[in-house]
Amino acid sequence: MKHIILSTQVSAFAIAASLALTAGSANAQQAMKEGALGVQNRSIGYVMVFENRSIYQAKDAKTQCPTALNDGPPEQFKKLYPDTGERTVEGTRLAWEGELWNPSAKELNVPYYEVQGKVGRGMNLDGKVGPNDYVDPDTGEKGIDNQIYRTVGCTFNYRDGQTSTLTPQWRRATYNIFVIELTNVDSLQNDDDVTVTTYRGKDRLITDATGNEYLPGGSQTLDTRWGKRYITAFKGKIKDGVLTTEAKDLIMPAASVYAPRDGAPDIIYRDMRFQLNLTDTQANGYMGGYADVWTWYYHSHKTRDSRHQAYGGTAGPTLYRALMKNADAFPDANGQNTAISTALDVKFVHVFVQHPGAQVAGMVNHGTQSAEAAATEARARE
Amino acid sequence: MYDFNRRRVLRGMLGGGAVTVGLPLLNACLNGNGDAMADGRPMPVRFGTWYWALGIAKAAFVPNKLGAGYDMKPEMEALKPVQQHFNVLTNYTAFRDNAPNLCHFSGWVISRTGTAPMTGGNIPGETVDVTIANQVGRTTRYKMLTASADGNARDTFSYDNPTTPNASEVSGLKFYSRLFGPDFQDPNAPTFTPSPKVMVRKSAISGVLDDVKDLEKSVGADDKARLDQYFTGLRHLERQFDQQLTKPEPIAACKKPGNLKEDTKVGSDVTIIASRHKIITDLMVMAVACDQTRVFNMSYGGNSATKAGFEKPSHTATHEEPWDTTVDYQPTCSWFTRRAMENWAYYVKSFAEFKEGAGSLLDNCFIMANSDHGLARIHALDGMALFTAGRAGGKVKSGLHIDGGATATTRLGYTAMRIMGLDVPSWGTKSNLTSKEIGEILA
């Protein structure tokens, strides 16, 4: 009898626990039941829940990186500053830090390996098929522009799939919540004229119990006061459930891996565009454009110092030189390209967008800072 | 036969202060079988914890078989001699819900407090050892003892509240002095002289308590609540002073260790950590055996452990050592885990081999052990391994491998509280809230 009572109690607790477990998604499930998710008032919002650089990984890494994966900071440090006798801090550690934060133009006598082959994922950004472009392994699409893939594809940090994934750590803060709102929407299947507006959100994401999976059905209050620089409106269209947009400059809110906001700069993209498969609850696909080299590089190292970069074999001095070598757009006055083609694998889930006030609509594109101006400012500041 | 009980005392005056002097009970404390007190009450059950950093590698750790007589993978090989004394619990999860995964922090905080921290350094509440100590630790000289082999006093997994850590003892000499120095009252000594210092403190605190009662009459509700909390703390202190002014009951197993001549070495090499762990464990065992505390925390740590000839410390190795696909783990990281398990084996063995009554000290303990992660390389909060050791006075079975089915690590803390006599309906918050004990290990 005692056992029976205990079992009953356990069952009751189990039910309670089960209810507690699903409480976070209860609103979403109820909303789906009532058909509340999806387009309402000709608009729908999504929040980004996954973001990673689009790096194709062949089953056998040797086909892409036949020599080796790249050295990390400890290994490269030893090669750059070998212990041949008397050494100075200035000539070793400080020299390394100097090359890390203020890279010089001098050649470094250490190897750096880039991806070999013609297979790669991403988007055809310039509408052309060039000699450095890739072919998509699944669709066969040619002209894929993704020189960041070429640059970091043989670096463990970007291949691992664990340490390189941007989302899990970055999304723990509310500083870098990235929201898109589709307006003027008649259908999520086919619509030749929609508007996609980007915002920074202010609310935490809804997760499952493990914290690893994000759930649709939450809400996001838009940051239209301090987040103006992240507001950009793209014209787009939907065909067979796939959203594509025009290309525009975009500043994405970013945060450090190890601290919500420790000075890591936002990443600035030139000619960014979306290509997303839409459903009532999700929007998954690519964002593609040209990353401003300096802010991309600088963000990478501000958010992960040499110790943490060593986890993924990312050595800044050679990485910066490779990025500059492979940069393929937006040349400066000296003809040096300042941006590099890239694609992001992205996933969004549906959220109910909360506009803070009626004046919000008028704020779009008012008071925002251009990506070019932001990039110039970032270089000058650092 | 004389009518002995554990609190029978002589009352008298000494140095102008009232003192109570316990009668010598020695073996008369125990019943004829040596498994209970002479008056029939059970032997006191003590609660302990043990911590190691950086989790496990599943392929090298998790046994294939469940239940008794399970197989031991390489990371557990050192535990073979004590297999009958502990349970290994695998496949448990520290749920973080919408809280971030704070590396090397969320996992142990969830397992010890029941709640996922929202920010680094944020301890959501008291740890399970404190909850238990508040229940069972008020009649001993120390409510609880906390020590670490890592060499860092801040390396503690015990918190009274979000802002009050219980600092670890890291020095063997200091720990010895604290436990067995001038204030140690040998329970088996023929004479008992109450410490005048404690008497003065007791007297002072009694005066303060009277003042607090008077003050309560003239303050508002909020301040009264604060004074109540203060008063409760002082009462606890007063009871501990009372304990120190009472002749301890003789404990046959309690023997003051010989003086330590050298302090524990400084360093992070695994051999040095192991030497510190051994010295502090030996002292901890005797402190428990001498009933100086009934709640004890020990951390092996190992997060910064180093290996001679290997340039990276253990934590760095988890992130930088390549994955060996032939064995499905990182060999050097697994080497560090094996060293941690050797120390866990020593800890268990030390309690198991210490005689108490008809059995061992471990028979009257319940020790739980946990880590910060499952697979540390990716800061996993699933696939986490836990241990229990001891029989808790016959309430717990040992020698078993249990698969937790990805349920909450908090089930262990909840089980510990129930075993230690806390009548709590549940423990933890959000997805870590549990009212489900680990029933497989209960006798």
Side-chain angles (χ1 to χ4, degrees):
Chain A
M1 186 62 188
K2 188 177 179 183
H3 175 72
I4 293 171
I5 292 170
L6 191 62
S7 299
T8 308
Q9 288 171 332
V10 170
S11 298
F13 284 130
I15 292 167
S18 174
L19 288 173
L21 274 172
T22 54
S25 62
N27 289 341
Q29 291 176 345
Q30 185 63 25
M32 280 189 278
K33 207 173 184 180
E34 296 173 356
L37 291 187
V39 177
Q40 292 184 356
N41 298 321
R42 303 186 71 211
S43 69
I44 183 170
Y46 300 94
V47 63
M48 180 183 278
V49 296
F50 178 86
E51 176 190 16
N52 200 6
R53 291 122 182 157
S54 188
I55 304 294
Y56 168 67
Q57 293 190 54
K59 286 183 180 176
D60 182 5
K62 289 185 178 176
T63 62
Q64 295 175 292
C65 311
T67 307
L69 295 183
N70 283 303
D71 286 339
E75 295 81 14
Q76 191 165 102
F77 182 89
K78 286 180 181 175
K79 289 177 181 173
L80 284 172
Y81 313 104
D83 189 2
T84 55
E86 186 176 337
R87 299 192 297 173
T88 63
V89 171
E90 181 186 9
T92 55
R93 295 178 191 174
L94 290 180
W96 165 270
E97 289 298 314
E99 283 295 342
L100 190 67
W101 300 110
N102 298 286
S104 68
K106 74 174 183 183
E107 286 289 321
L108 298 178
N109 190 27
V110 288
Y112 189 84
Y113 306 114
E114 297 180 348
V115 161
Q116 305 298 305
K118 299 294 291 180
V119 182
R121 288 201 172 93
M123 300 173 74
N124 185 345
L125 301 176
D126 57 10
K128 302 173 185 173
V129 177
N132 292 326
D133 291 355
Y134 293 99
V135 177
D136 187 286
D138 299 322
T139 67
E141 181 184 0
K142 297 177 181 175
I144 301 295
D145 298 297
N146 193 345
Q147 293 304 305
I148 278 189
Y149 162 58
R150 178 183 304 284
T151 306
V152 301
C154 289
T155 299
F156 178 70
N157 197 30
Y158 299 92
R159 297 183 62 84
D160 173 56
Q162 297 290 344
T163 54
S164 66
T165 302
L166 306 179
T167 316
Q169 295 279 1
W170 293 18
R171 296 288 158 208
R172 73 187 186 191
T174 54
Y175 174 80
N176 60 337
I177 301 295
F178 185 66
V179 176
I180 58 174
E181 185 182 35
L182 278 61
T183 53
N184 196 32
V185 181
D186 298 314
S187 164
L188 287 180
Q189 274 300 302
N190 290 288
D191 191 327
D192 59 5
D193 182 16
V194 299
T195 299
V196 180
T197 307
T198 63
Y199 299 92
R200 179 166 71 184
K202 295 165 69 173
D203 300 307
R204 286 189 178 276
L205 305 177
I206 295 178
T207 70
D208 69 356
T210 67
N212 296 325
E213 298 294 331
Y214 297 96
L215 306 174
S219 64
Q220 279 291 327
T221 307
L222 303 180
D223 177 8
T224 54
R225 180 182 298 278
W226 309 110
K228 289 177 183 176
R229 68 199 311 244
Y230 310 115
I231 302 175
T232 302
F234 296 74
K235 298 299 288 184
K237 61 183 178 182
I238 303 170
K239 185 178 180 183
D240 297 331
V242 179
L243 167 73
T244 55
T245 70
E246 64 178 326
K248 293 184 85 170
D249 293 349
L250 175 68
I251 304 173
M252 286 186 71
S256 163
V257 171
Y258 292 104
R261 184 63 180 156
D262 67 349
D266 297 326
I267 299 179
I268 297 165
Y269 293 99
R270 314 296 304 275
D271 280 357
M272 189 60 126
R273 77 285 314 265
F274 294 83
Q275 181 182 306
L276 302 173
N277 294 294
L278 302 177
T279 70
D280 282 353
T281 58
Q282 297 179 41
N284 301 331
Y286 287 125
M287 290 172 64
Y290 297 89
D292 178 74
V293 169
W294 175 249
T295 55
W296 192 94
Y297 170 79
Y298 189 66
H299 179 277
S300 170
H301 282 77
K302 280 292 283 186
T303 192
R304 298 172 75 94
D305 56 22
S306 288
R307 176 171 74 98
H308 290 113
Q309 293 289 20
Y311 296 170
T314 305
T318 43
L319 170 62
Y320 182 77
R321 283 162 175 76
L323 286 167
M324 292 300 282
K325 180 174 79 71
N326 293 327
D328 52 348
F330 295 94
D332 62 16
N334 299 318
Q336 168 64 52
N337 285 321
T338 62
I340 183 168
S341 54
T342 187
L344 299 172
D345 299 327
V346 293
K347 295 179 182 176
F348 295 79
V349 297
H350 174 267
V351 286
F352 295 96
V353 172
Q354 308 291 319
H355 289 265
Q359 74 278 17
V360 170
M363 282 187 172
V364 175
N365 288 335
H366 288 276
T368 58
Q369 184 182 27
S370 75
E372 185 173 7
T376 303
E377 182 184 300
R379 287 191 196 93
R381 191 168 55 237
E382 308 304 341
Chain B
M1 179 170 174
Y2 294 108
D3 179 21
F4 288 130
N5 65 61
R6 282 173 64 80
R7 286 299 167 200
R8 181 163 182 180
V9 294
L10 296 176
R11 298 180 189 282
M13 301 290 289
L14 184 72
V19 296
T20 53
V21 182
L23 288 170
L25 298 178
L26 268 175
N27 292 333
C29 287
L30 304 178
N31 69 2
N33 297 324
D35 57 2
M37 306 307 296
D39 60 5
R41 284 176 294 117
M43 304 272 280
V45 175
R46 292 78 150 201
F47 174 72
T49 69
W50 194 81
Y51 175 85
W52 84 101
L54 304 175
I56 59 158
K58 184 178 177 183
F61 184 94
V62 179
N64 292 327
K65 296 177 187 172
L66 295 173
Y70 59 86
D71 52 309
M72 284 199 170
K73 298 278 182 67
E75 287 184 358
M76 285 184 64
E77 271 181 359
L79 293 162
K80 270 184 182 169
V82 291
Q83 184 170 5
Q84 73 275 24
H85 295 304
F86 70 87
N87 296 309
V88 58
L89 317 172
T90 60
N91 192 21
Y92 284 80
T93 307
F95 295 105
R96 62 187 176 90
D97 295 304
N98 69 335
N101 185 352
L102 303 166
C103 308
H104 309 285
F105 187 68
S106 296
W108 78 257
V109 172
I110 291 169
S111 301
R112 293 282 179 101
T113 71
T115 296
M118 293 304 290
T119 57
N122 161 241
I123 302 293
E126 69 183 21
T127 46
V128 61
D129 55 299
V130 171
T131 307
I132 291 172
N134 284 335
Q135 180 86 358
V136 306
R138 295 299 185 186
T139 60
T140 52
R141 183 182 178 197
Y142 297 110
K143 186 177 86 172
M144 56 197 294
L145 291 170
T146 299
S148 170
D150 239 357
N152 186 346
R154 291 181 299 177
D155 182 28
T156 179
F157 303 89
S158 174
Y159 280 72
D160 269 0
N161 56 52
T163 56
T164 312
N166 293 308
S168 290
E169 295 285 354
V170 296
S171 158
L173 276 183
K174 288 180 180 172
F175 197 32
Y176 177 87
S177 175
R178 184 180 173 197
L179 294 173
F180 301 107
D183 290 337
F184 172 64
Q185 296 170 346
D186 187 343
N188 301 322
T191 58
F192 172 65
T193 306
S195 164
K197 187 171 63 179
V198 174
M199 291 168 62
V200 169
R201 293 173 72 186
K202 165 76 189 315
S203 173
I205 211 168
S206 297
V208 171
L209 285 168
D210 290 341
D211 289 346
V212 171
K213 283 178 185 172
D214 288 341
L215 195 57
E216 274 188 338
K217 297 170 186 170
S218 57
V219 298
D222 286 350
D223 282 343
K224 190 173 180 182
R226 291 190 188 99
L227 282 173
D228 277 347
Q229 190 178 17
Y230 179 58
F231 185 81
T232 303
L234 290 179
R235 282 286 299 150
H236 287 160
L237 203 54
E238 187 185 40
R239 283 210 293 269
Q240 286 185 314
F241 288 153
D242 278 343
Q243 190 274 337
Q244 289 177 65
L245 294 173
T246 303
K247 168 82 172 76
E249 294 158 7
I251 303 172
C254 174
K255 292 183 177 60
K256 179 181 175 180
N259 282 329
L260 284 182
K261 293 178 180 172
E262 289 182 28
D263 202 355
T264 41
K265 292 180 184 173
V266 175
S268 56
D269 186 274
V270 289
T271 58
I272 296 176
I273 296 176
S275 69
R276 284 198 296 260
H277 183 272
K278 180 180 182 304
I279 290 170
I280 295 174
T281 294
D282 291 348
L283 291 171
M284 190 72 89
V285 167
M286 193 54 78
V288 175
C290 293
D291 206 24
Q292 299 216 49
T293 188
R294 292 182 184 172
V295 177
F296 51 101
N297 299 306
M298 181 71 194
S299 166
Y300 167 77
N303 196 19
S304 303
T306 56
K307 173 187 180 185
F310 186 75
E311 64 179 1
K312 295 170 183 173
S314 53
H315 167 255
T316 304
T318 65
H319 295 300
E320 296 186 19
E321 184 183 25
W323 192 263
D324 186 338
T325 54
T326 60
V327 291
D328 206 22
Y329 55 79
Q330 296 160 291
T332 309
C333 296
S334 185
W335 183 89
F336 281 114
T337 304
R338 294 170 203 199
R339 303 294 80 77
M341 291 302 109
E342 287 171 0
N343 284 272
W344 169 235
Y346 182 82
Y347 196 66
V348 174
K349 176 171 168 278
S350 300
F351 283 89
E353 292 185 347
F354 198 97
K355 292 289 179 190
E356 183 174 77
S360 74
L361 184 58
L362 189 63
D363 288 338
N364 296 312
C365 289
F366 183 74
I367 303 173
M368 63 173 267
N370 69 291
S371 188
D372 51 349
H373 285 297
L375 178 61
R377 176 174 173 261
I378 57 171
H379 299 133
L381 296 178
D382 58 1
M384 294 178 75
L386 309 162
F387 288 103
T388 76
R391 306 291 297 275
K395 297 175 187 169
V396 174
K397 294 182 284 187
S398 55
L400 304 174
H401 170 217
I402 310 296
D403 184 325
T407 54
T409 58
T410 45
R411 290 180 61 202
L412 179 54
Y414 175 70
T415 305
M417 283 190 262
R418 299 309 301 245
I419 289 170
M420 295 305 297
L422 278 69
D423 190 16
V424 289
S426 62
W427 187 59
T429 61
K430 294 187 176 178
S431 298
N432 298 302
L433 174 68
T434 186
S435 54
K436 188 176 183 183
E437 68 282 351
I438 301 175
E440 298 95 323
I441 67 171
L442 299 182

